[in-house]
Amino acid sequence: MSVLTEFVVPAEEFILHETLRRVSAIHVEIERVVADSEYVTPYFWASGETFESFERAIEDDITVGSLTVLEEHDDERFYRVSWRQRTGTVGHAVSKLKASILEATSDGKDWFLKLLFPSESSLTEFHDYCENYDLSFQLTRLYESRHPNAFGKYEVTPKQREALVTALDSGYFNVPREVTLEHVAGELDISPNALSTRLRRGHANLITNTLRHDG
């Protein structure tokens, strides 16, 4: 039985620690993480007014393998960064135990994580791992899922869901449309380009995971 958890983790015990320490005026929200035995590769949005300093700080990190800007808007950018795995970190524990990162946001000091563990025993192993390496974390919520596929089964990120639901509630999808893209973007306090990107990605994830049945 899978277990859904929410944790608060000090920035230095997850990823981007050195970067966020040097450039604190930036907000980071991870969309997904790909990890193997050597590298952890997060895909994330960053918002703020210090993108150049943020990117320099990442590139100065000797553990970084690559940095790619995937999308760029006035108020936020979407990145892919590849880091070498480091034993004795929360990120390594998550990868080792095959837990899924459903949500991850940082205020520069702490990471707020929503993790889905494949079993109760894997959560216990995570706790033991953190104890063994003297890692700090605060468990803020814990509940079981009898239907593990229900969590993120459509692979729609929190930002995409917010955009889709706000657009729906505002009448953007009505025929004829009741509001403009600019109006919905204003409600979310983001640029129309950023909203358009989120809607396209959200639609693609929904269609892929509901209407397409390969094989």
Side-chain angles (χ1 to χ4, degrees), residues 16 18-20 22-23 28 44 46 51-68 79-83:
L16 284 172
E18 289 299 322
T19 298
L20 294 175
R22 290 176 55 184
V23 186
V28 174
F44 61 90
F51 292 118
E52 289 73 18
S53 298
F54 179 69
E55 291 169 11
R56 284 198 301 270
I58 293 178
E59 291 172 340
D60 288 344
D61 189 334
I62 61 173
T63 65
V64 172
S66 64
L67 167 67
T68 305
Y79 296 93
R80 179 182 66 230
V81 181
S82 179
W83 268 277

Side-chain angles (χ1 to χ4, degrees), residues 6 8 24 38 71 77 92 103 105-106 120 130 140 146 176 182 187 191 197 209:
E6 295 181 11
V8 178
S24 58
E38 186 175 3
E71 293 185 26
R77 293 183 184 178
H92 183 257
E103 294 181 26
T105 60
S106 176
E120 293 180 359
C130 292
T140 58
R146 297 185 180 276
E182 289 75 15
E187 289 192 21
S191 68
T197 297
N209 292 284

Side-chain angles (χ1 to χ4, degrees), residues 128-165:
D128 293 342
Y129 183 103
C130 292
E131 287 283 318
N132 186 47
Y133 286 98
D134 197 27
L135 300 176
S136 301
F137 65 88
Q138 179 184 356
L139 178 64
T140 58
R141 190 171 184 182
L142 168 66
Y143 52 92
E144 297 176 349
S145 169
R146 297 185 180 276
H147 304 285
N149 290 333
F151 294 109
K153 71 175 181 177
Y154 302 129
E155 298 183 6
V156 175
T157 69
K159 281 192 173 183
Q160 291 167 8
R161 182 185 184 280
E162 179 186 37
L164 289 167
V165 171

